[in-house]
Amino acid sequence: MTKSTAKLEVGGQAHDFDVLKGSIGPDVVNIASLYKDAGIFTYDPGFTSTASCESKITYIDGDEGILLHRGYPIEQLAEHGDFLETCYLLLYGELPTKAQKQDFDYRVTHHTMVHEQMTRFFTGFRRDAHPMAVMCGVVGAMSAFYHDSTDISDPHQRMVASLRMIAKMPTIAAMAYKYHVGQPFVYPKNELGYAANFLHMCFAVPCEEYKVNPVLARAMERIFILHADHEQNASTSTVRLAGSSGANPFACIAAGIACLWGPAHGGANEAALNMLDEIGSVDRIPEFIDRAKDKNDPFRLMGFGHRVYKNYDPRAKIMEKTCHEVLSELGIKDDPQLDIAMELERIALTDEYFIEKKLYPNIDFYSGITLKALGFPTTMFTVLFAVARTVGWIAQWKEMIEDPKQKIGRPRQLYTGAEQRDYVPIAKR
Ligand code: SDX
């Protein structure tokens, strides 16, 4: 990294800090010695201007609406490849050769079954448990079953744990869905591709042959690709922070799932569809636009806005195209929620408030309509996001563990609480 310097004056004392240049994107000021040199901390709640790490995996240009995975545009990966090709790229840094792809597919496919005893976890949950609650519990419990891949200092165990996570997440997600709907679990089938296998495990029943629709399987592959990784978002940062203490990868991924669940993050796809339901008809859109603009109303347009994208989320455009493909394949002519979504997008994009605040549809805006058309209940939407994002979490976790400069993450604070004072016995309070 080429260097220049930045000067900071604190209490009349000038301090120089290295400015580090990446391959593309903003430079960073290395302030690691700030507290030692100047006795002060930086302050950046929500990390709006803070780079938490150096990474080579994903690059986002929020102003231009660009998303690259190891340099490859998301549009090209979604158009040409399948999800396991993107997984290989994120993990190893290069697109696989034919032989490498076949070997990777074989290795992932032969890790898709879960330990049979894991099925007992599900019966411990209430039938109406939210599938994301089940995912947090069952994925965290994987460290109780796969002891032979929890030693993070062993590169072989790290790779086995990575493959196990990528391979088993669809199986566990499908089991969470089957438990949710009261149907028997369906085992993975090795002759099916990643997305087709997942659809089969979700929608097949023992009473009849289930044929996976190839158009829907392709759409599912593309939806997984779109959700695979996204730089240092909240859940990825959670996984990195959990991993920085040396916690095992299964526990770190469970932490990422918990963070993703929030409606401001991965939970927005479920919240966006619920919002479209609440709006109910096109003529009520202005009322909700006004609410979204009202500072005293906590309501926000779910599926709109983004911390980084101040332009169209490139994934949202591909998601919208996939949505139309799925609806037409299923012969769904006029989907009322799609009509409301498209009219809501049209109005919002012409409204001064959204233009001024650069609020555009994000990946969660159209994904809910698509997933509902594929047959998933809204409670499963964030589970699908978690299935896809597991490879991103794992790739970022692996990059952090393999960084020789890696150390435990431990932020400081601006303390504004009580100054030191003496204990008062209860009789005197
Ligand atoms: C994901 O980080 C990632 O990369 C995440 C993700 C990934 O792939 O990992 O891309 C996936 O999480 C996508 C985002 C899904 N969330 C939603 O769709 C929920 C609705 N969106 C918002 O809650 C919000 O836009 C966030 C949380 C996404 C971003 O919030 P920021 O960056 O903290 O921005 P902000 O809250 O400071 O908003 C800036 C202004 C505010 O107004 P002012 O206080 O400046 O007057 O824009 C307003 C906000 O009130 N605003 C919205 C809005 N989003 C922001 N107003 C109405 N509706 C919205 N959706």
Side-chain angles (χ1 to χ4, degrees), residues 230 264-265 295 300-301 303-304 306-307 315 362 389:
H230 211 239
H265 189 14
K295 281 278 149 267
R300 288 195 166 176
L301 285 189
F304 257 82
H306 199 277
R307 170 63 59 76
R315 303 168 297 173
N362 59 52
R389 184 53 57 88

Side-chain angles (χ1 to χ4, degrees), residues 60 229-230 232-235 260 263-266 268 292-293 295 299-310 313 315 353-354 357 359 362-364 385 389:
I60 304 173
D229 189 52
H230 211 239
Q232 305 311 320
N233 59 83
S235 54
L260 186 74
H265 189 14
K293 289 156 51 171
K295 281 278 149 267
F299 174 79
R300 288 195 166 176
L301 285 189
M302 302 317 281
F304 257 82
H306 199 277
R307 170 63 59 76
V308 176
Y309 289 122
K310 301 309 171 193
D313 180 337
R315 303 168 297 173
Y353 174 91
F354 291 87
K357 293 188 187 299
L359 300 174
N362 59 52
I363 188 163
D364 295 308
F385 195 151
R389 184 53 57 88

